Amino acid sequence: MVGNSSPKKVGLAADRLASFYGRDIVSVDQFSRQDLGYIYGVADEMRSLVKRVGATDLLKGHVLANLFYEPSTRTSSSFIAAMVRLGGSVIPIHGVQYSSVSKGESLPDTIRTLQCYSDVIVLRHPEIGASAVAARYANIPVISAGDGTGEHPTQGLLDIYTIYSELGTVDGLHVAMVGDLKNGRTVHSLARLLKLYDTEMSFVAPDNLRLPQDIRDEMVAAGRTVHETDRLQDVIDRADVVYVTRVQRERFQDLSEYEAVKDYYVITPALMQEAKPRMALMHPLPRVGEIQYDVDDDPRAAYFRQMENGMYVRMALLAAVLGKV
Ligand code: NCD
């Protein structure tokens, strides 16, 4: 079931609940600020629940099919941890080479199979739009865990949640996104969500890795102030959030092009001295050299807290699409 099409189950009393119950999560465009506020409230509760007692039986008897056609550490394991901490179980399909995908089974048939055994499907796939395709065939909710160079909606949600928890607000902030803005799907989802807030945005990338024009146009049409530069020095002292990304090696046809840009930006302790005393340095991870390890002890380095937040937000999303919160 795609985006805002009819939910699988309707007639719920609470508006917010009705807006998640039985729905797919395939693009951040489906969310309003109210939706985010609702999910973040639940994520806060999940955080305190995990800290207090570790787990609950809210999703007891429910099954998640975790279907990954691309590598993942954080996204896949945080979805598994989220489901298990909610009392549910997981069918992990992380090496699709060991599934019938390697026999040539199509995505729709794989989805039709998994929906017989599970209540919700999480899908990571190398093609843009694959989650929307899966959602069309599934009669249970499909949650995108990233589709190619398209979107990574749950990462975008946890990134905004992290900005709130680090800085207390999103409105009024200057957010700089740095690195591979062309291929980085987390940037695409985060930028689209930031349209909902009164933010100024700087996109810092070498010329061949600039943000896709359509996303830039969306920002401007939403009334946001947008700057583009290839020099991090232009914005480092003004940004409240610096969101660094890895150059996405696997998206390059010509590896010599990758080699030419892979070390374009490196966050060092010296560079952090130029940044605001109160700011958040974020990264969806994995990093491959763009933030030096000796930056990790800087209190502004938020990336490890950011990945922890991922589990709370995913707990909230799983409980919401299954109609339990
Ligand atoms: C990102 C992804 O897979 O898009 N990782 C993640 O989910 N945290 C970022 C990346 O791979 O660079």
Side-chain angles (χ1 to χ4, degrees):
M1 303 153 297
V2 173
N4 291 324
S5 59
S6 308
K8 186 172 48 125
K9 293 165 188 160
V10 291
L12 292 156
D15 279 0
R16 275 314 92 209
L17 180 54
S19 84
F20 284 95
Y21 190 16
R23 298 254 184 206
D24 308 301
I25 298 175
V26 295
S27 166
V28 293
D29 283 341
Q30 71 195 76
F31 298 121
S32 64
R33 263 182 85 144
Q34 248 192 324
D35 293 331
L36 268 54
Y38 177 72
I39 285 299
Y40 296 159
V42 178
D44 285 344
E45 287 172 32
M46 295 300 181
R47 180 201 298 274
S48 60
L49 184 144
V50 169
K51 301 272 185 215
R52 235 178 31 252
V53 289
T56 165
D57 60 1
L58 197 64
L59 294 185
K60 187 161 184 270
H62 289 76
V63 177
L64 158 69
N66 217 31
L67 177 59
F68 279 66
Y69 289 71
E70 279 191 340
S72 172
T73 301
R74 270 151 294 272
T75 308
S76 65
S77 46
S78 65
F79 266 114
I80 294 173
M83 193 64 183
V84 170
R85 286 185 187 277
L86 289 168
S89 308
V90 182
I91 302 171
I93 304 185
H94 298 148
V96 287
Q97 68 271 31
Y98 300 116
S99 76
S100 288
V101 170
S102 68
K103 302 178 188 170
E105 184 161 71
S106 66
L107 179 63
D109 281 3
T110 302
I111 294 294
R112 285 185 184 109
T113 307
L114 290 174
Q115 74 182 11
C116 300
Y117 312 136
S118 59
D119 304 290
V120 53
I121 295 171
V122 168
L123 173 69
R124 170 168 287 188
H125 198 280
E127 280 162 39
I128 294 182
S131 337
V133 171
R136 218 157 30 240
Y137 286 94
N139 58 12
I140 58 174
V142 171
I143 302 178
S144 168
D147 53 348
T149 57
E151 274 216 43
H152 193 344
T154 66
Q155 179 76 40
L157 291 172
L158 79 89
D159 289 341
I160 297 278
Y161 181 71
T162 299
I163 297 175
Y164 271 121
S165 53
E166 294 293 312
L167 300 172
T169 182
V170 179
D171 283 314
L173 299 185
H174 179 184
V175 180
M177 299 191 205
V178 182
D180 188 349
L181 310 186
K182 176 182 174 205
N183 300 305
R185 54 193 170 200
T186 71
V187 165
H188 303 165
S189 290
L190 177 58
R192 289 194 163 113
L193 279 176
L194 285 170
K195 278 190 305 188
L196 300 173
Y197 297 88
D198 178 18
T199 48
E200 183 180 344
M201 278 177 264
S202 290
F203 297 109
V204 184
D207 213 38
N208 57 339
L209 299 180
R210 285 169 63 177
L211 189 76
Q213 186 66 36
D214 56 327
I215 303 180
R216 188 185 188 281
D217 291 347
E218 285 176 36
M219 305 294 118
V220 174
R224 302 291 156 247
T225 307
V226 171
H227 313 281
E228 275 189 290
T229 173
D230 67 348
R231 288 171 41 88
L232 186 50
Q233 292 85 340
D234 291 349
V235 298
I236 189 73
D237 57 342
R238 293 192 294 122
D240 301 293
V241 175
V242 174
Y243 188 96
V244 184
T245 61
R246 153 184 91 88
V247 179
Q248 311 266 303
R249 184 178 192 272
E250 66 275 32
R251 313 292 180 203
F252 284 75
Q253 308 285 356
D254 177 354
L255 276 187
S256 66
E257 265 182 50
Y258 165 75
E259 292 294 333
V261 285
K262 75 177 177 25
D263 298 321
Y264 213 87
Y265 305 108
V266 179
I267 308 289
T268 61
L271 193 65
M272 288 302 286
Q273 282 188 5
E274 293 176 41
K276 285 185 167 184
R278 184 156 191 264
M279 56 82 76
L281 178 65
M282 295 174 61
H283 193 307
L285 302 175
R287 62 175 152 178
V288 287
E290 56 285 342
I291 299 181
Q292 285 187 348
Y293 293 114
D294 47 7
V295 173
D296 296 354
D297 291 334
D298 189 308
R300 298 166 293 180
Y303 30 93
F304 299 132
R305 295 186 289 276
Q306 181 182 356
M307 73 182 171
E308 180 184 336
N309 290 339
M311 183 176 74
Y312 308 130
V313 170
R314 289 175 175 131
M315 287 175 80
L317 292 170
L318 288 170
V321 299
L322 292 171
K324 298 294 180 184
V325 291

